[in-house]
Amino acid sequence: MPIQIYNTLTGKKEPLETVEPGRVKMYSCGPTVYDYFHVGNARAFVVPDVIKRYLRDRGYQVLHVQNVTDIDDKIIQRAQSLGVSVDEVVDRYTRAYLEDLLRLGCEMPTVLPRARDHVGPMIDLIRVLFDNGLAYAAGGDVYFSVERFPRYGQLSRQEVSQLEAGARVEASAHKRHPADFVLWKAAKPGEPWWESPWGRGRPGWHLECSAMSMAYLGERFDIHTGGADLIFPHHENEIAQSEGAVGHPVVTYWVHNGYINVDGEKMSKSLGNFWLFRDVADRWGAPVVRALLLSKHYRTPIDFTEEALEAQARGLERLYRTVGDLARRLHPDAPQLSSEAAAAGPAEQALERVLQEKEAAFHEAMEDDFNTAMALARLFELAREVNRYLTEAEPAPQPGPQPTLHRAYRLLIRLGGILGLRLDEPLHSRADDGELLVPLVDLILEVRQQVRSERRFDLADQIRDRLKALGIQVEDTREGARWILSDASR
Ligand SMILES: [Zn+2]
């Protein structure tokens, strides 16, 4: 069965057809680094992570770009309210984001571009929009003219004429049309700025994603993800900029995840009804939060309650316990069943059928627009059947291999892995790579910096190469060393 994927742009499920055969190029809107992320934000990171894991299981190579917005009004305001520099805010919350992302069980994106490193391509993009008659300068700012882009409103299904008095459209005296949006903002005193043909200033948020997605994924790529709150204006504007620059559609499938609700209202920073991911993870464990986020189809809202967390915690306890029991049974020192008994008994045959059924049903769910709710339910059912076999149907142990149980174990680990649950690790461990990994790599790079400053470049290169072999790619920039986890570490 081809994978079906719901496309916000067309309003229906479509079979996945990639630009390049066997390869999926996906962009996800990452965080604005001015605070720790909350459970609602976490969903927008878990959804592309599961899509990526499933597509890879299906044999696709996945190139995943998830940006960091480190130029934004919110960051400047946060720095002012904390009385620290903008750089300090960016540094603190980028680090926290990476820690939390790993703790949430997400793989590092293949590329994690930061807006600050891409101001050049953003300026280039504005130039092209000027050339194409879609941009104008006014009052030190540069705006995109929505009336000049006939397809404006296609994603959010709105007419430009209806946007005149739109509440979510920022008003400005310089705009030609109320729905025009800023591409370049003139710097006010005390704000960070970059030189541009239109004077000192900084890029608009929407522009950041257009420039960074096309910089890494090209002018045509497959999937763009983000929360449903980004459909308008963020993604609508991104389409206008990217298509307006290259003259054809850039993204094939627009994928949007639903909200996390608290007492019937969307969890959001501005409403003040948010739970920070790290606080909930401290109390319930990160896998419980992840399971809750996967317990509904990604387009469906989730009610965030103590009861919902408790239900997931109980389910995961049983799941992990079954996998642990199975691992102990399969341990080389444990008493073994003979191969004849294992292959021939009716209980084994029944279990074998269950494995096949549940695996097929899991794939059926994931193929149908990544229905993790159904897939997770099939995983729980699989574990229940295995547990029943272990406790009820098992004949007296004899020496020999147990192929059905081995298959059951491998299947549970593999299907759990697609959902980003590491069932072969204890549920309540510090499975929180991020907590240790980020400061550890930072420490190694600090030592390496010292080594470099003593001009011992051979040793510094050796450290870089050894890290690379471990899947940690180090890049030396003018501002110091940066690192990302590459796929090789997985
Ligand atoms: Zn974005």
Side-chain angles (χ1 to χ4, degrees):
M1 257 282 280
I3 293 166
Q4 300 287 314
I5 176 166
Y6 181 86
N7 190 350
T8 307
L9 190 63
T10 58
K12 55 179 196 262
K13 282 185 204 170
E14 298 167 356
L16 176 68
E17 282 170 27
T18 57
V19 175
E20 288 172 43
R23 194 153 193 246
V24 173
K25 295 195 265 185
M26 176 164 74
Y27 185 88
S28 304
C29 288
T32 301
V33 282
Y34 73 109
D35 203 348
Y36 300 112
F37 67 71
H38 60 65
V39 178
N41 306 132
R43 193 177 196 188
F45 305 142
V46 165
V47 167
D49 184 65
V50 169
I51 292 176
K52 172 168 61 179
R53 287 168 186 269
Y54 186 63
L55 292 175
R56 208 165 44 207
D57 186 81
R58 291 285 297 253
Y60 286 97
Q61 192 199 354
V62 184
L63 177 55
H64 182 215
V65 178
Q66 185 162 295
N67 73 297
V68 172
T69 293
D70 55 6
I71 307 173
D72 193 80
D73 291 349
K74 287 177 187 162
I75 298 170
I76 296 169
Q77 286 158 14
R78 180 76 173 182
Q80 285 162 355
S81 75
L82 291 176
V84 298
S85 71
V86 166
D87 286 355
E88 205 172 321
V89 170
V90 165
D91 200 49
R92 184 187 302 176
Y93 293 110
T94 303
R95 191 173 293 247
Y97 158 67
L98 295 176
E99 285 172 9
D100 285 356
L101 191 70
L102 290 173
R103 193 174 177 196
L104 184 57
C106 293
E107 289 183 4
M108 277 287 168
T110 325
V111 190
L112 210 133
R114 298 165 201 228
R116 295 171 163 224
D117 299 337
H118 300 79
V119 176
M122 292 172 201
I123 290 173
D124 293 344
L125 191 57
I126 299 176
R127 278 205 187 96
V128 176
L129 292 173
F130 264 106
D131 291 346
N132 294 354
L134 295 166
Y136 61 92
D141 301 332
V142 177
Y143 293 96
F144 186 98
S145 174
V146 297
E147 287 169 305
R148 305 291 301 274
F149 184 72
R151 291 189 301 284
Y152 193 79
Q154 58 182 334
L155 185 71
S156 54
R157 296 191 178 75
Q158 305 179 81
E159 299 284 333
V160 169
S161 56
Q162 295 172 328
L163 292 168
E164 297 277 349
R168 299 189 63 184
V169 171
E170 241 178 283
S172 157
H174 303 299
K175 288 184 189 179
R176 291 181 188 164
H177 185 281
D180 289 353
F181 56 90
V182 74
L183 298 169
W184 186 263
K185 248 180 203 181
K188 297 193 195 80
E191 291 181 351
W193 52 266
W194 285 261
E195 291 288 0
S196 85
W198 316 283
R200 289 176 177 181
R202 62 182 190 277
W205 171 43
H206 315 303
L207 187 76
E208 296 180 7
C209 284
S210 278
M212 288 188 281
S213 61
M214 290 197 288
Y216 292 95
L217 301 176
E219 292 183 3
R220 285 183 200 274
F221 63 91
D222 304 296
I223 302 176
H224 195 310
T225 75
D229 51 338
L230 300 186
I231 294 173
F232 187 83
H234 185 52
H235 290 163
E236 194 70 76
N237 293 352
E238 197 182 320
I239 289 176
Q241 296 160 155
S242 301
E243 287 193 27
V246 301
H248 59 73
V250 173
V251 176
T252 315
Y253 307 96
W254 284 91
V255 170
H256 293 100
N257 64 270
Y259 300 133
I260 302 288
N261 290 333
V262 180
D263 298 328
E265 265 191 305
K266 175 192 160 197
M267 181 184 290
S268 76
K269 197 93 207 316
S270 52
L271 288 173
N273 62 350
F274 62 92
W275 294 69
L276 294 181
F277 162 72
R278 49 175 58 198
D279 292 343
V280 185
D282 280 347
R283 185 163 157 214
W284 293 90
V288 172
V289 184
R290 186 168 175 111
L292 178 67
L293 296 175
L294 297 174
S295 67
K296 289 272 193 308
H297 185 277
Y298 74 84
R299 284 187 281 122
T300 313
I302 296 177
D303 288 320
F304 186 81
T305 60
E306 297 267 313
E307 294 76 47
L309 284 163
E310 215 169 288
Q312 292 307 322
R314 277 198 304 271
L316 283 189
E317 286 283 355
R318 284 195 296 270
L319 180 59
Y320 278 75
R321 201 185 313 127
T322 298
V323 175
D325 289 349
L326 199 48
R328 272 187 294 283
R329 175 56 46 81
L330 294 171
H331 194 274
D333 297 338
Q336 307 281 303
L337 299 175
S338 76
S339 55
E340 296 78 47
E348 285 73 26
Q349 285 172 11
L351 183 59
E352 189 72 54
R353 275 197 301 278
V354 167
L355 299 187
Q356 286 170 16
E357 272 168 34
K358 296 302 172 196
E359 183 181 10
F362 181 97
H363 280 284
E364 216 172 284
M366 290 300 286
E367 276 165 5
D368 184 11
D369 193 28
F370 313 105
N371 192 336
T372 57
M374 302 288 268
L376 189 62
R378 298 298 89 82
L379 184 64
F380 282 134
E381 287 163 12
L382 174 61
R384 201 178 309 143
E385 295 290 338
V386 169
N387 189 48
R388 184 177 313 178
Y389 174 87
L390 289 176
T391 53
E392 293 172 14
E394 188 179 37
Q398 297 163 33
Q402 305 172 76
T404 305
L405 285 190
H406 274 286
R407 266 197 292 283
Y409 181 77
R410 282 197 303 270
L411 186 60
L412 281 163
I413 298 297
R414 182 175 142 230
L415 300 186
I418 290 173
L419 298 177
L421 298 170
R422 296 181 199 162
L423 301 183
D424 51 349
E425 288 179 1
L427 177 56
H428 302 292
S429 70
R430 26 183 317 166
D432 309 342
D433 294 14
E435 219 172 78
L436 187 62
L437 183 71
V438 173
L440 195 62
V441 176
D442 285 347
L443 171 67
I444 293 168
L445 291 181
E446 261 174 55
V447 173
R448 180 171 170 270
Q449 194 50 45
Q450 186 64 37
V451 168
R452 275 167 63 88
S453 67
E454 289 163 14
R455 309 192 64 76
R456 295 158 68 191
F457 294 116
D458 280 5
L459 184 53
D461 287 352
Q462 218 178 340
I463 294 171
R464 185 197 58 210
D465 294 345
R466 294 280 296 273
L467 284 170
K468 193 176 176 192
L470 295 170
I472 296 160
Q473 280 196 349
V474 179
E475 191 197 338
D476 291 306
T477 70
R478 244 178 284 166
E479 292 88 45
R482 294 202 164 145
W483 62 274
I484 55 163
L485 283 184
S486 64
D487 276 354
S489 67
R490 296 278 158 182

Coordinates of all heavy atoms in Angstrom, one line a residue, residues 86-124:
V86 N 20.7 39.7 24.1 CA 20.0 38.8 23.2 C 20.8 37.5 23.0 O 20.2 36.4 23.0 CB 19.8 39.6 21.8 CG1 19.3 38.6 20.8 CG2 18.8 40.7 22.0
D87 N 22.1 37.6 22.8 CA 22.9 36.4 22.6 C 22.7 35.4 23.8 O 22.7 34.2 23.6 CB 24.4 36.8 22.5 CG 24.6 37.4 21.1 OD1 23.7 37.5 20.3 OD2 25.8 37.9 20.9
E88 N 22.7 36.0 25.0 CA 22.5 35.1 26.1 C 21.2 34.3 26.1 O 21.2 33.2 26.5 CB 22.7 35.9 27.4 CG 23.2 35.1 28.6 CD 23.5 36.0 29.8 OE1 24.0 37.1 29.6 OE2 23.1 35.6 30.9
V89 N 20.2 35.0 25.8 CA 18.8 34.4 25.7 C 18.9 33.3 24.6 O 18.4 32.2 24.9 CB 17.7 35.4 25.3 CG1 16.4 34.7 25.0 CG2 17.5 36.4 26.5
V90 N 19.4 33.6 23.5 CA 19.5 32.7 22.4 C 20.3 31.4 22.8 O 19.9 30.3 22.6 CB 20.1 33.3 21.1 CG1 20.6 32.3 20.1 CG2 19.1 34.3 20.5
D91 N 21.5 31.7 23.4 CA 22.3 30.6 23.8 C 21.7 29.7 24.8 O 21.7 28.5 24.7 CB 23.6 31.2 24.4 CG 24.7 30.2 24.4 OD1 25.0 29.6 23.3 OD2 25.4 30.0 25.5
R92 N 21.0 30.3 25.8 CA 20.4 29.5 26.9 C 19.3 28.7 26.4 O 19.2 27.5 26.7 CB 19.9 30.5 28.0 CG 19.2 29.9 29.2 CD 18.6 30.9 30.1 NE 19.5 31.9 30.5 CZ 19.1 33.0 31.3 NH1 17.8 33.1 31.6 NH2 19.9 33.9 31.7
Y93 N 18.4 29.2 25.5 CA 17.2 28.5 25.2 C 17.5 27.6 23.9 O 16.7 26.6 23.7 CB 16.0 29.4 25.0 CG 15.6 30.0 26.3 CD1 15.9 31.3 26.6 CD2 15.1 29.2 27.3 CE1 15.5 31.9 27.9 CE2 14.8 29.7 28.6 CZ 15.0 31.0 28.8 OH 14.7 31.5 30.1
T94 N 18.5 27.8 23.2 CA 18.9 26.9 22.1 C 19.4 25.6 22.8 O 19.0 24.5 22.4 CB 20.0 27.4 21.2 OG1 19.5 28.7 20.6 CG2 20.3 26.5 20.1
R95 N 20.2 25.8 23.8 CA 20.7 24.6 24.5 C 19.6 23.8 25.2 O 19.6 22.6 25.1 CB 21.7 25.2 25.6 CG 22.5 24.2 26.3 CD 23.5 25.0 27.2 NE 24.4 25.7 26.3 CZ 25.7 25.5 26.3 NH1 26.2 24.5 27.0 NH2 26.5 26.2 25.5
A96 N 18.7 24.6 25.8 CA 17.6 23.9 26.5 C 16.7 23.1 25.5 O 16.2 22.0 25.8 CB 16.7 24.9 27.2
Y97 N 16.5 23.8 24.3 CA 15.7 23.1 23.3 C 16.4 21.8 22.8 O 15.7 20.8 22.7 CB 15.6 24.1 22.1 CG 15.3 23.4 20.8 CD1 14.1 22.8 20.5 CD2 16.2 23.4 19.7 CE1 13.8 22.2 19.3 CE2 16.0 22.9 18.5 CZ 14.8 22.2 18.3 OH 14.5 21.7 17.1
L98 N 17.7 21.8 22.6 CA 18.4 20.6 22.2 C 18.3 19.5 23.3 O 18.0 18.3 23.0 CB 19.8 20.8 21.9 CG 20.0 21.8 20.6 CD1 21.5 22.1 20.4 CD2 19.4 21.1 19.4
E99 N 18.5 19.9 24.5 CA 18.3 18.9 25.6 C 17.0 18.3 25.7 O 16.8 17.1 25.8 CB 18.6 19.7 27.0 CG 20.0 20.0 27.3 CD 20.2 20.9 28.5 OE1 19.2 21.1 29.2 OE2 21.3 21.4 28.7
D100 N 15.9 19.2 25.6 CA 14.6 18.7 25.7 C 14.2 17.9 24.5 O 13.4 16.9 24.6 CB 13.6 19.9 25.8 CG 13.6 20.5 27.2 OD1 14.4 20.0 28.1 OD2 13.0 21.5 27.5
L101 N 14.7 18.2 23.3 CA 14.4 17.5 22.1 C 14.8 16.1 22.2 O 14.1 15.1 21.9 CB 15.0 18.2 20.9 CG 14.6 17.7 19.5 CD1 13.1 18.1 19.2 CD2 15.5 18.3 18.4
L102 N 16.1 15.9 22.7 CA 16.6 14.5 22.9 C 15.9 13.8 24.0 O 15.6 12.6 23.9 CB 18.1 14.6 23.2 CG 19.0 15.1 22.0 CD1 20.4 15.3 22.5 CD2 19.0 14.1 20.9
R103 N 15.6 14.5 25.0 CA 14.9 13.9 26.1 C 13.5 13.4 25.7 O 13.0 12.4 26.2 CB 14.7 14.9 27.2 CG 14.3 14.3 28.5 CD 14.3 15.4 29.6 NE 13.8 14.8 30.9 CZ 13.5 15.4 31.9 NH1 13.5 16.8 31.9 NH2 13.0 14.8 33.0
L104 N 12.9 14.1 24.8 CA 11.5 13.8 24.2 C 11.6 12.5 23.3 O 10.6 12.0 22.9 CB 11.0 15.0 23.5 CG 9.6 15.0 22.8 CD1 8.6 14.8 23.9 CD2 9.4 16.4 22.2
G105 N 12.9 12.1 23.1 CA 13.0 10.9 22.3 C 13.1 11.2 20.8 O 12.9 10.3 20.0
C106 N 13.3 12.5 20.4 CA 13.4 12.9 19.0 C 14.9 12.7 18.6 O 15.8 13.0 19.3 CB 13.0 14.3 18.8 SG 11.2 14.6 19.1
E107 N 15.0 12.2 17.4 CA 16.4 12.3 16.8 C 16.7 13.7 16.4 O 15.8 14.5 16.1 CB 16.4 11.5 15.5 CG 16.2 10.0 15.7 CD 16.3 9.3 14.4 OE1 16.6 9.9 13.3 OE2 16.2 8.0 14.4
M108 N 18.0 14.0 16.4 CA 18.4 15.3 15.9 C 18.0 15.4 14.4 O 18.2 14.4 13.7 CB 19.9 15.5 16.0 CG 20.4 15.9 17.4 SD 20.0 17.6 17.7 CE 20.4 17.7 19.4
P109 N 17.5 16.5 14.0 CA 17.2 16.7 12.6 C 18.6 16.5 11.8 O 19.6 16.8 12.4 CB 16.7 18.1 12.5 CG 16.2 18.5 13.9 CD 17.1 17.7 14.8
T110 N 18.5 16.2 10.5 CA 19.7 16.0 9.7 C 20.4 17.4 9.7 O 21.6 17.4 9.8 CB 19.3 15.6 8.3 OG1 18.2 14.8 8.3 CG2 20.5 14.9 7.6
V111 N 19.7 18.5 9.5 CA 20.3 19.8 9.5 C 19.4 20.7 10.5 O 18.2 20.6 10.5 CB 20.3 20.5 8.1 CG1 21.1 21.7 8.2 CG2 20.8 19.5 7.1
L112 N 20.1 21.5 11.3 CA 19.5 22.3 12.3 C 19.9 23.7 12.1 O 20.7 24.3 12.8 CB 20.0 21.8 13.6 CG 19.1 21.9 14.8 CD1 19.1 20.5 15.6 CD2 19.6 22.9 15.8
P113 N 19.4 24.4 11.0 CA 20.0 25.7 10.7 C 19.4 26.8 11.6 O 18.3 26.7 12.0 CB 19.4 25.9 9.2 CG 18.2 25.1 9.2 CD 18.4 23.9 10.1
R114 N 20.3 27.7 11.9 CA 19.9 28.9 12.7 C 19.8 30.1 11.8 O 20.6 30.3 11.0 CB 21.0 29.1 13.8 CG 21.2 27.9 14.7 CD 22.5 28.0 15.5 NE 22.9 26.7 16.0 CZ 23.2 26.5 17.2 NH1 23.3 27.4 18.1 NH2 23.6 25.3 17.5
A115 N 18.7 30.8 12.1 CA 18.4 32.0 11.2 C 19.6 32.9 11.1 O 19.9 33.4 10.0 CB 17.2 32.7 11.8
R116 N 20.3 33.2 12.2 CA 21.5 34.1 12.2 C 22.5 33.7 11.2 O 23.3 34.6 10.7 CB 22.2 34.1 13.5 CG 21.3 34.6 14.6 CD 21.9 34.4 15.9 NE 21.2 35.2 16.9 CZ 21.8 36.0 17.7 NH1 23.1 36.0 17.9 NH2 21.1 36.8 18.5
D117 N 22.7 32.5 10.9 CA 23.7 32.0 9.9 C 23.2 32.1 8.5 O 24.0 31.8 7.6 CB 24.1 30.6 10.2 CG 24.6 30.4 11.6 OD1 25.1 31.4 12.2 OD2 24.6 29.2 12.1
H118 N 22.0 32.6 8.3 CA 21.4 32.6 6.9 C 20.9 33.9 6.5 O 20.0 34.0 5.7 CB 20.3 31.5 6.8 CG 20.9 30.1 7.1 ND1 21.1 29.6 8.4 CD2 21.3 29.1 6.2 CE1 21.6 28.4 8.3 NE2 21.8 28.1 7.0
V119 N 21.4 35.0 7.1 CA 20.9 36.3 6.7 C 21.2 36.6 5.3 O 20.4 37.2 4.6 CB 21.4 37.4 7.7 CG1 21.0 38.8 7.3 CG2 20.9 37.1 9.1
G120 N 22.4 36.2 4.8 CA 22.8 36.4 3.4 C 21.7 35.8 2.4 O 21.2 36.6 1.6
P121 N 21.4 34.5 2.5 CA 20.4 34.0 1.6 C 19.0 34.7 1.8 O 18.2 34.8 0.8 CB 20.2 32.5 2.1 CG 21.5 32.2 2.7 CD 22.1 33.5 3.3
M122 N 18.7 35.2 3.0 CA 17.4 35.9 3.2 C 17.4 37.2 2.4 O 16.4 37.5 1.7 CB 17.2 36.1 4.7 CG 16.9 34.9 5.5 SD 16.9 35.2 7.2 CE 17.3 33.5 7.8
I123 N 18.5 37.9 2.5 CA 18.6 39.2 1.7 C 18.5 38.9 0.2 O 17.8 39.6 -0.5 CB 20.0 39.9 2.1 CG1 19.8 40.4 3.5 CG2 20.2 41.0 1.1 CD1 21.1 41.0 4.0
D124 N 19.2 37.8 -0.2 CA 19.1 37.4 -1.7 C 17.7 37.2 -2.1 O 17.3 37.5 -3.2 CB 20.0 36.1 -1.9 CG 21.5 36.4 -1.7 OD1 21.9 37.6 -1.7 OD2 22.2 35.4 -1.6

